[in-house]
Amino acid sequence: MTLDATQPCPCGSSSQYGACCQPLHQGAAAPDAERLMRSRYCAYTLGLIDYLVATTVPAQQSQLAVEAMRQWSEQSRWLGLTVESAQQLPGASTAQVTFVARWQDPDGSAQSHRECSDFRLIAGRWYFLDPNHAIKAGRNEPCPCGSGRKFKQCCAR
């Protein structure tokens, strides 16, 4: 699927794609975790799997099932996103976004998924922390996400 910049953004923000998720898909940094979450949902609707990989914590990117993500993106009919809450303390490098994503499977059955996702701010960019893939490191080793902090003070929390 392709979108014109003047079309409504699939993320449900009520903004046009060109003023919402398109700049992020083209490389701009998300200003907060909620915008990153919205842009990731939008990326699923548009089949932008490379964007989904690039916005996952770098230490988890090699563990992603990219072909399965691509198939799910292409075979689903995306029905909408509702962001229930977004929590980030001022100046914090972690955030959580609770959302419900809705889609229709190829057999026509409607599906929904509610999740409270974790996000990390690393070197000025927000990343999704995939709960399905553990980040492995010793507690006192540098965090593999690239933050420069010890693992116990970063992604181990």
Side-chain angles (χ1 to χ4, degrees):
M1 176 179 170
T2 59
L3 276 185
D4 181 276
T6 62
Q7 290 180 285
C9 193
C11 79
S13 68
S14 75
S15 296
Q16 293 179 336
Y17 176 61
C20 191
C21 291
Q22 186 179 39
L24 280 63
H25 294 161
Q26 294 174 338
D32 55 47
E34 180 180 348
R35 284 285 305 278
L36 181 62
M37 176 59 237
R38 288 181 177 281
S39 73
R40 287 177 56 85
Y41 174 84
C42 184
Y44 269 112
T45 72
L46 299 173
L48 303 176
I49 306 309
D50 291 344
Y51 179 79
L52 295 166
V53 172
T55 57
T56 300
V57 168
Q60 294 179 321
Q61 291 175 4
S62 65
Q63 300 173 44
L64 298 175
V66 175
E67 191 51 39
M69 292 165 67
R70 186 177 324 284
Q71 287 178 6
W72 187 46
S73 170
E74 292 171 357
Q75 294 175 0
S76 299
R77 181 172 164 256
W78 298 93
L79 303 175
L81 173 72
T82 303
V83 174
E84 295 180 350
S85 68
Q87 301 173 346
Q88 177 192 352
L89 296 174
S93 62
T94 61
Q96 289 187 322
V97 178
T98 302
F99 66 93
V100 178
R102 295 175 309 285
W103 71 95
Q104 188 176 48
D105 283 339
D107 67 4
S109 61
Q111 305 292 326
S112 69
H113 175 74
R114 184 177 187 272
E115 182 175 313
C116 179
S117 292
D118 291 318
F119 294 83
R120 298 283 188 270
L121 183 63
I122 303 167
R125 294 189 81 89
W126 283 100
Y127 292 91
F128 169 66
L129 185 60
D130 191 325
N132 298 313
H133 298 95
I135 298 176
K136 297 174 185 155
R139 290 180 43 78
N140 291 312
E141 292 178 21
C143 190
C145 77
S147 68
R149 294 181 293 179
K150 290 182 179 182
F151 181 61
K152 69 181 178 185
Q153 297 170 331
C154 192
C155 291
R157 291 194 286 169

